[in-house]
Amino acid sequence: MASPSKAGAALAALREDLVGDVFAPGDPGYDEARAVFNAMIDRRPAVIAQCVDEDDVVRAVRFARDLDLKIAVRGGGHSVAGMAVNDNGLVIDLRHMRAVTVDPAAEAVRIAGGATMGDLDRATQPYALATTGGRASTTGVGGFVLGGGTGWLDRCCGLAVDNLLGVELVTADGERVHANADENPDLFWALHGGGGNFGVATALTLTLHELPEFSIALLLYLPEFGPEATRTYRDVITVGPDEAGGAVIHLTGPPEDFVPPHLVGTLLCAVLLTYAGAEGDLRKLAEPLLALPHEAEVVGAMPYADVQCMIDDPPGMRNYWSAEYLTGAPDDFVDVFCARARSMPVPTGTQHVLFPQGGAIAAGPHAYPVPFRDAPWVVHPFGIWEDPADDEPCVRWVRDVRADARPWSTGDVYLNFIGDEGAERVVAGVGAENAQRLAELKRRYDPDNVFRFNHNIKPA
């Protein structure tokens, strides 16, 4: 650790040199700058550097190396484990780097490292183009993509990382590196699931897909109809086209216009059927679901970017999530899944989610470190609540969902869906056969493990 006089001089120089803002403890705005999406996280970095361009990122990395500070990288700040912020280190905050540049002729888009899904989706929508994005508009694009990237379009467009054309990166020694299929191909491979282990992604380029229409059917069922609705949704997806997606979501009835007032605040089973196409085709697909007794429905065409905002959760809530990837969703699993909903903390923002994979996910490239792509179904307990007194029951419920699902679990996992669950789960997220190669590349690009505030891959 640097001496106080050296640290003070270096901080003064950083404040002078950085185009963006610099915050240290005691500065006005410091507490606001260190707050992240998950209110369970309360960490106090030594310095927060709010970078505005790649040059700022280089300056910040070199500042941290000079003082032997560990680095956390903040894009959207959505990591449930709070990996966007640390104690006594440097946070490289990319939130001012949000430019999105669409090339409609090439059907490609360049996204700056701090852009969110909302930034991406709103920029591509005027061209009737889109690419697989996270299921919340406030999610950061960088961490989402580099972790694999699953969303409403993945069954027809592939995982987000399958659409990755190139990454602009600042490495642990403060050097600029570009990675694509031809340039630094080993690093490019590692960035397909290796997350933020290899540097600060200052920009990403992704393939876009034509999406002239998008439609949804959202139906609310009483919990006792949950098993039948879940099985029906499963069967619709199993025989349906890759353009069909969505999820079964047990939730607390929200105070929305389409929810009957007497069901607000009660447990409900929602089925969201998404369709990358016209409303007429969606309605045909949804017929079996519409035929079941349900309490409310919203069916029709809706801009994809608006759908992306539908289940946004407010910041400042307490969050604990996990996931199990499944060999299938047979009737006995469906019964266990729906039974567990009965013990879900209600009323809270907690969601008990089951969604499909298959399609372009399973058909995608298997060489990358995203081992979860072959699982046909995923159970995703998504704990969200407000009162710290509810921490223990909410966390326990998420763990109970995982325990329930283990008889059907593949053992693989998507790391963006989980918090800090130990080194074995990191290996499960990249694949045992890939872990050693990633560790060797980590030694090459970050031998001191400067970038450790992530699902960490230690240098071999």
Side-chain angles (χ1 to χ4, degrees):
M1 187 67 70
S3 68
S5 60
K6 180 182 178 181
L11 178 59
L14 184 68
R15 291 187 192 272
E16 180 70 25
D17 294 342
L18 209 76
V19 178
D21 294 324
V22 176
F23 295 94
D27 288 347
Y30 170 80
D31 286 331
E32 182 180 358
R34 70 184 179 89
V36 291
F37 179 80
N38 185 359
M40 296 180 80
I41 307 301
D42 183 18
R43 296 184 185 142
R44 301 186 65 82
V47 181
I48 301 168
Q50 293 191 332
C51 301
V52 301
D53 57 21
E54 190 177 55
D55 288 343
D56 267 2
V57 174
V58 170
R59 293 182 189 105
V61 170
R62 291 178 177 171
F63 163 83
R65 298 311 309 272
D66 188 43
L67 296 183
D68 195 27
L69 294 174
K70 301 306 179 186
I71 298 173
V73 181
R74 177 174 186 150
H78 254 251
S79 160
V80 69
M83 293 169 179
V85 65
N86 57 25
D87 281 318
N88 304 313
L90 171 71
V91 172
I92 294 180
D93 186 340
L94 304 178
R95 282 179 289 174
H96 293 307
M97 299 171 59
R98 296 177 67 160
V100 179
T101 306
V102 181
D103 184 342
E107 295 192 341
V109 59
R110 181 185 182 275
I111 307 119
T116 65
M117 285 302 148
D119 297 327
L120 171 59
D121 296 331
R122 297 295 177 190
T124 60
Q125 186 159 285
Y127 302 97
L129 296 169
T131 196
T132 300
R135 295 173 176 86
S137 69
T138 51
T139 301
V141 176
F144 167 79
V145 173
L146 298 182
T150 169
W152 303 130
L153 294 179
D154 52 15
R155 283 173 37 85
C156 61
C157 299
L159 297 170
V161 80
D162 297 342
N163 294 284
L164 186 61
L165 297 173
V167 182
E168 295 162 44
L169 203 73
V170 175
T171 62
D173 56 5
E175 297 299 319
R176 297 171 173 86
V177 174
H178 188 262
N180 59 28
D182 301 315
E183 193 175 355
N184 298 303
D186 281 352
L187 176 60
F188 190 55
W189 173 85
L191 295 171
H192 285 71
N197 274 283
F198 301 95
V200 185
T202 56
L204 304 92
T205 303
L206 299 172
T207 297
L208 294 173
H209 303 262
E210 294 182 8
L211 190 69
E213 296 182 273
F214 197 78
S215 310
I216 68 160
L218 175 62
L219 296 97
L220 298 182
Y221 303 88
L222 296 176
E224 52 264 38
F225 292 104
E228 187 175 3
T230 303
R231 287 191 292 268
T232 302
Y233 172 77
R234 174 199 64 195
D235 295 345
V236 166
I237 289 291
T238 300
V239 301
D242 293 349
E243 288 78 10
V248 177
I249 310 169
H250 288 87
L251 45 66
T252 298
E256 301 287 349
D257 291 344
F258 68 92
V259 180
H262 68 284
L263 295 178
V264 172
T266 70
L267 178 67
L268 295 170
C269 176
V271 172
L272 174 63
L273 180 62
T274 62
Y275 187 71
E279 178 183 343
D281 295 328
L282 166 82
R283 286 187 176 275
K284 291 174 187 173
L285 271 177
E287 281 175 359
L289 291 162
L290 290 163
L292 299 177
H294 55 282
E295 305 304 304
E297 66 180 69
V298 177
V299 184
M302 182 179 291
Y304 170 69
D306 291 352
V307 175
Q308 285 285 76
C309 304
M310 277 179 54
I311 58 171
D312 281 359
D313 297 299
M317 304 292 283
R318 303 175 77 78
N319 284 254
Y320 185 83
W321 324 329
S322 195
E324 289 292 337
Y325 280 67
L326 309 175
T327 57
D331 288 350
D332 51 352
F333 167 77
V334 170
D335 290 340
V336 169
F337 169 76
C338 292
R340 180 55 63 188
R342 295 288 189 173
S343 62
M344 194 177 90
V346 174
T348 66
T350 296
Q351 299 170 5
H352 187 30
V353 185
L354 176 71
F355 64 83
Q357 292 210 116
I361 306 168
H366 279 65
Y368 295 128
V370 281
F372 57 85
R373 72 165 69 244
D374 286 328
W377 290 90
V378 185
V379 62
H380 180 29
F382 197 84
I384 310 171
W385 65 100
E386 190 170 8
D387 188 346
D390 292 331
D391 286 2
E392 193 277 333
C394 289
V395 170
R396 184 180 66 244
W397 178 82
V398 170
R399 292 173 175 166
D400 287 345
V401 174
R402 280 195 63 203
D404 286 348
R406 283 198 185 106
W408 297 275
S409 175
T410 67
D412 302 319
V413 70
Y414 170 46
L415 293 175
N416 285 353
F417 274 173
I418 70 171
D420 183 0
E421 296 182 4
E424 289 184 6
R425 285 282 268 179
V426 174
V427 172
V430 298
E433 68 281 6
N434 300 315
Q436 183 61 32
R437 182 179 173 189
L438 287 166
E440 290 167 359
L441 286 163
K442 178 75 169 181
R443 183 183 65 213
R444 181 171 152 197
Y445 285 97
D446 184 13
D448 299 321
N449 203 14
V450 172
F451 299 111
R452 66 174 56 181
F453 295 95
N454 45 43
H455 289 294
N456 193 233
I457 297 163
K458 292 183 171 61

